[in-house]
Amino acid sequence: MSQEAFDRLHGALQYHIVNSMGWTGLRSTQADAVAPILAGKHCLILAPTAGGKTEAATIPVLSRMATEEWPGPSVLYVCPIKALLNNLESRLSRYAGFVGRTVQVWHGDVGQGAKARAKRTPPDILLTTPESLEGMLISTKVDRASWFGNVRVVIVDELHAFAGDDRGWHLRAVIKRIEAYARQPIQRIGLSATVGNPGELLDWFAGSGERQIVGSSSVTTDADVTIDHVGSMANAAIVISRLHRGAKRLVFCDSRSKVEELAVSLRAVNTRTFVSHSSLSASERRLAETAFAEEQDCVIVATSTLELGIDVGDLDYVIQIDSPSTVSSFLQRMGRTGRRAGGRRNCLFLTTSDEAFILACAITTLWRRQYVEHIKPPALPWHMVAQQMMALALERPGLPAGELIGAVQAQFPELDPTTVSTTFEFMVDKEILFFSSGLASMGPAGEKLFGRGHFLDLLSAFASPMVLAARHGATELGYVDPMAVQQQKDGPTILLLGGRSWKITGVDWSKRLVSVEPTDDRGKSRWLGTSRWLGFDVCQAMRSVLLQEGDAQLGLSRRGGQQLEEVRALFISPERCGSLVLEHLSSGRLRWWTFAGGAVNSSLALRLGESGSTRVDDMWVETDSGVSVPELAHREVSQAVLLRFAQALAERAELKFSACLPVGLLAAVVASRSLDEVNLRRLAPL
């Protein structure tokens, strides 16, 4: 332990670190965080999963709180998922109690009574989400000047999970609005697992002021990783049931449907199994969270909801069905293991298809090269500009239009300030906002579009598809897609939910409620979702594996080795064309294997669109015979072609708040997120 760092902490914390927590010292990252946090610097704290990031942030903040006698609520602790907030409450309450301070959780599952008590007796640390903060800001029942006036620090856990999508823009904009009420400058502290561009991430998050990165962004390859190919989910269940009996195993699947399918199969072979994903009720999810803490011989099957920093205790093994799409996600999942003294981090891939197998090989290849993705906030968040204009109009009705526009320009300094003004004018023209005598407020069209449930739909960055609540008696089980409850011709409709089969006994569409009862018949699960393109570097690593380029340390099982030989044998091409592989299809069309990712291939399709029909996926571009991708890839794209292409994408895209943007601006947003011109140039010369 750095004695100097320890000595700078409040005396009560020094006592409890040694006597209550039984620590012999602070970890290096925790010690390194003390000085910059006590100095009020914005910080990005980097450490692997279970690396003590929470303590690195909260212990110095609590020391400041006690030394400087901050009134509450003085700290906002923001997490991406409610399960993580619930998991942190007891731990942070214990730490805060060392200096006589309190902690309160505030999110959508917390009852109004508890929230009312919190407003009467404010906690010192509020555990919450960006959506809940937005709800407080636009609520007429919250005294914002009093509630946010004492805020001194915002801690954002799993910052990389926010920054990679529009919730990051939303969170940053909300923090900026809270600063308008705070009587002191707000210190921003982000916690993150390993990222490839920590400096850029901190600059994006922190805004102005002194800042410091704490901890290392290096990737450790000291772990036991094996890739096995099992061919089906049923086979995966058999392998899991027989492997590591007596141990606690966390199994990741990349869809809710696969989680449900695997859980049923595991229970069918008498394996004690718990389930966790976003469509389960809070009580059902808590069963899995409790299993982490109390069970030993069990399997927990989950989506990425358990990838984040929930305390998993002494987890023995991580198993991945198929493969995540990023190295960062793989590191997060593998990081769930190896916490016990003498233990090693580990991950077993069980792949069920050729594509998933090669993807797993590519992800581990990049990991062994110590590669990790850069976190890039989505480009051109103009729809979030529109969301913030409406939110400000609700928060401060009658706000002078110049102040509203200026506030949003300050929230999004990366964007063109003139276009912020024209967006406001467009929203006024469409009556989404109302403008009179120089003042702005919510307009009738805005209320019609987003006013349901006291503007509940305005709180989040993403559009939420319609779902139905599934109940057995008075017990809420979770939420299902409306398409999943359609009446079957040959018998009752059977659902899978929580790893169990349920027969539908009734549907109340007015209440969005499905009544179910248990059944022994095998059901199915279905949820609408969107898939993302694979990244350029991941696809290039898949190329390296298939074409036997570069290193070959893949960590394959015996079956995995056989699978690699079979897949490589399938990929026999008579022709190379620069960096591309050309396949002549039996239909007479050409398949150009680019291994570039769907966004790059969509950029190619943009150029090919006027030269015959095209199809794309992450690996290839398919064209009519006689079309040369290497030649056409170097063409310039006219603005007219780009606009038509982007408008077509915009019509299919479910971009929330898209009705608030002029069509040209909406097309620019969609094009910037659907095309990848930068990595297209990396393919050259083709």
Side-chain angles (χ1 to χ4, degrees):
M1 172 173 66
S2 168
Q3 190 62 43
E4 181 182 357
F6 181 80
D7 289 345
R8 296 189 65 179
L9 297 173
H10 189 274
L13 286 168
Q14 293 179 8
Y15 173 85
H16 284 289
I17 286 171
V18 174
N19 295 285
S20 300
M21 299 169 69
W23 290 6
T24 57
L26 300 175
R27 299 183 186 184
S28 60
T29 301
Q30 294 165 346
D32 291 343
V34 170
I37 291 179
L38 292 183
K41 293 182 180 180
H42 304 308
C43 291
L44 174 61
I45 300 176
L46 300 171
T49 304
K53 296 186 291 293
T54 299
E55 290 76 13
T58 55
I59 288 174
V61 166
L62 286 168
S63 184
R64 285 192 69 191
M65 185 186 295
T67 302
E68 301 172 22
E69 299 183 355
W70 294 350
S74 55
V75 177
L76 304 177
Y77 195 113
V78 184
C79 292
I81 58 174
K82 291 180 279 191
L84 182 52
L85 294 169
N86 298 338
N87 186 259
L88 282 168
E89 181 182 17
S90 60
R91 183 158 42 130
L92 292 185
S93 291
R94 184 185 182 215
Y95 300 159
F98 294 160
V99 290
R101 298 299 181 126
T102 59
V103 173
Q104 172 76 45
V105 173
W106 186 303
H107 56 62
D109 291 344
V110 175
Q112 292 303 314
K115 291 178 178 178
R117 289 192 295 273
K119 283 188 283 188
R120 288 195 300 270
T121 308
D124 296 287
I125 300 175
L126 191 71
L127 296 173
T128 190
T129 64
E131 293 76 19
S132 290
L133 289 173
E134 183 71 271
M136 297 177 210
L137 283 168
I138 69 172
S139 173
T140 58
K141 299 179 180 179
V142 174
D143 183 346
R144 292 177 287 269
S146 173
W147 188 244
F148 294 120
N150 295 321
V151 173
R152 302 288 296 267
V153 177
V154 174
I155 301 173
V156 179
D157 211 340
E158 309 290 354
L159 177 61
H160 57 282
F162 282 114
D165 61 39
D166 283 323
R167 286 185 84 199
W169 291 115
H170 186 208
L171 169 63
R172 205 185 66 168
V174 164
I175 294 173
K176 189 71 175 176
R177 279 163 53 208
I178 290 171
E179 284 181 331
Y181 296 100
R183 290 183 284 274
Q184 299 286 340
I186 293 180
Q187 181 182 18
R188 303 185 188 191
I189 302 173
L191 315 183
S192 179
T194 302
V195 295
N197 56 335
E200 292 178 13
L201 180 59
L202 180 56
D203 288 344
W204 173 85
F205 172 62
S208 60
E210 289 189 80
R211 65 201 64 188
Q212 184 170 327
I213 296 171
V214 178
S216 172
S217 60
S218 62
V219 177
T220 177
T221 57
D222 182 23
D224 296 325
V225 177
T226 303
I227 303 173
D228 191 11
H229 183 70
V230 294
S232 70
M233 294 292 283
N235 289 342
I238 293 171
V239 171
I240 294 167
S241 69
R242 295 175 179 175
L243 201 61
H244 309 311
R245 288 177 176 170
K248 184 160 54 177
R249 294 146 281 173
L250 175 56
V251 182
F252 284 105
C253 300
D254 282 314
S255 76
R256 291 166 288 183
S257 296
K258 287 185 178 180
V259 166
E260 294 288 352
E261 181 183 353
L262 182 62
V264 168
S265 297
L266 285 167
R267 285 172 175 162
V269 291
N270 299 316
T271 300
R272 187 160 173 76
T273 303
F274 299 87
V275 180
S276 179
H277 61 69
S278 60
S279 290
L280 293 175
S281 66
S283 59
E284 288 288 312
R285 293 196 304 270
R286 277 194 291 271
L287 293 175
E289 294 165 22
T290 302
F292 268 135
E294 300 176 359
E295 297 277 342
Q296 292 301 322
D297 182 8
C298 70
V299 173
I300 301 144
V301 189
T303 56
S304 59
T305 54
L306 293 188
E307 177 183 307
L308 301 178
I310 295 173
D311 185 6
V312 299
D314 291 330
L315 180 68
D316 297 298
Y317 298 99
V318 159
I319 299 171
Q320 171 70 52
I321 301 299
D322 294 329
S323 176
S325 59
T326 65
V327 178
S328 175
S329 184
F330 162 67
L331 290 171
Q332 285 276 101
R333 296 174 186 195
M334 182 169 64
R336 305 284 83 191
T337 62
R339 295 185 59 186
R340 189 182 295 117
R344 277 173 61 82
R345 298 192 175 196
N346 62 80
C347 182
L348 169 64
F349 289 85
L350 299 178
T351 64
T352 63
S353 68
D354 293 348
E355 294 81 4
F357 174 79
I358 294 300
L359 178 57
C361 291
I363 292 294
T364 56
T365 294
L366 291 171
W367 162 65
R368 293 182 195 279
R369 296 175 187 167
Q370 296 191 312
Y371 166 94
V372 65
E373 292 82 7
H374 285 205
I375 299 297
K376 298 288 187 181
L380 303 183
W382 287 109
H383 54 303
M384 298 311 302
V385 167
Q387 185 269 343
Q388 284 298 293
M389 286 184 178
M390 291 185 286
L392 274 164
L394 288 173
E395 178 187 337
R396 300 167 65 185
L399 181 69
E403 289 186 29
L404 186 150
I405 292 170
V408 176
Q409 288 170 338
Q411 289 174 309
F412 299 91
E414 300 88 348
L415 298 179
D416 174 40
T418 302
T419 309
V420 173
S421 298
T422 57
T423 300
F424 173 81
E425 292 167 4
F426 177 83
M427 294 174 69
V428 169
D429 184 59
K430 294 295 182 180
E431 297 188 335
I432 295 170
L433 293 175
F434 181 72
F435 176 63
S436 178
S437 303
L439 305 179
S441 58
M442 184 64 80
E447 292 184 2
K448 184 177 180 180
L449 285 168
F450 305 108
R452 293 179 296 278
H454 303 288
F455 291 94
L456 186 64
D457 203 35
L458 194 63
L459 303 184
S460 67
F462 295 104
S464 300
M466 175 185 172
V467 292
L468 306 175
R471 286 185 184 173
H472 174 226
T475 303
E476 188 168 291
L477 303 171
Y479 305 91
V480 298
D481 191 284
M483 296 297 292
V485 306
Q486 291 184 342
Q487 179 64 45
Q488 302 298 309
K489 295 180 180 179
D490 54 353
T493 302
I494 310 297
L495 301 175
L496 277 184
L497 193 59
R500 294 179 173 84
S501 292
W502 305 91
K503 181 173 69 174
I504 294 179
T505 59
V507 179
D508 187 334
W509 291 100
S510 64
K511 296 181 179 179
R512 297 187 179 183
L513 179 65
V514 179
S515 299
V516 298
E517 62 182 28
T519 180
D520 292 330
D521 296 334
R522 185 67 175 261
K524 293 182 179 180
S525 60
R526 175 179 178 178
W527 285 274
L528 291 177
T530 57
S531 59
R532 294 186 177 182
W533 294 123
L534 293 176
F536 178 85
D537 291 323
V538 169
C539 292
Q540 289 286 290
M542 294 173 76
R543 171 199 172 95
S544 296
V545 172
L546 276 172
L547 302 182
Q548 303 183 57
E549 300 172 345
D551 57 72
Q553 296 181 356
L554 296 176
L556 301 175
S557 68
R558 179 182 56 81
R559 282 188 302 234
Q562 294 172 347
Q563 176 69 8
L564 182 58
E565 292 180 7
E566 293 176 8
V567 174
R568 281 175 171 169
L570 290 171
F571 198 78
I572 298 174
S573 174
E575 195 172 336
R576 297 288 181 95
C577 200
S579 63
L580 306 185
V581 176
L582 178 58
E583 180 183 0
H584 295 267
L585 302 178
S586 59
S587 63
R589 288 169 64 84
L590 301 177
R591 179 169 290 176
W592 300 82
W593 290 81
T594 63
F595 299 98
V600 170
N601 289 342
S602 294
S603 295
L604 281 169
L606 181 63
R607 291 158 169 82
L608 297 168
E610 296 180 348
S611 303
S613 62
T614 61
R615 293 176 57 222
V616 303
D617 83 346
D618 283 308
M619 300 292 103
W620 45 258
V621 177
E622 188 179 299
T623 71
D624 292 330
S625 178
V627 176
S628 171
V629 166
E631 291 177 10
L632 294 176
H634 293 282
R635 286 184 178 178
E636 292 296 323
V637 182
S638 71
Q639 287 300 310
V641 170
L642 180 61
L643 182 61
R644 287 199 302 271
F645 182 85
Q647 285 176 331
L649 287 174
E651 290 174 2
R652 299 196 302 269
E654 295 183 2
L655 198 66
K656 198 170 184 182
F657 313 116
S658 59
C660 302
L661 301 180
V663 65
L665 191 57
L666 175 60
V669 174
V670 174
S672 70
R673 297 171 178 216
S674 304
L675 304 175
D676 187 350
E677 296 288 320
V678 172
N679 283 314
L680 175 60
R681 291 192 290 271
R682 288 176 66 184
L683 279 180
L686 292 171

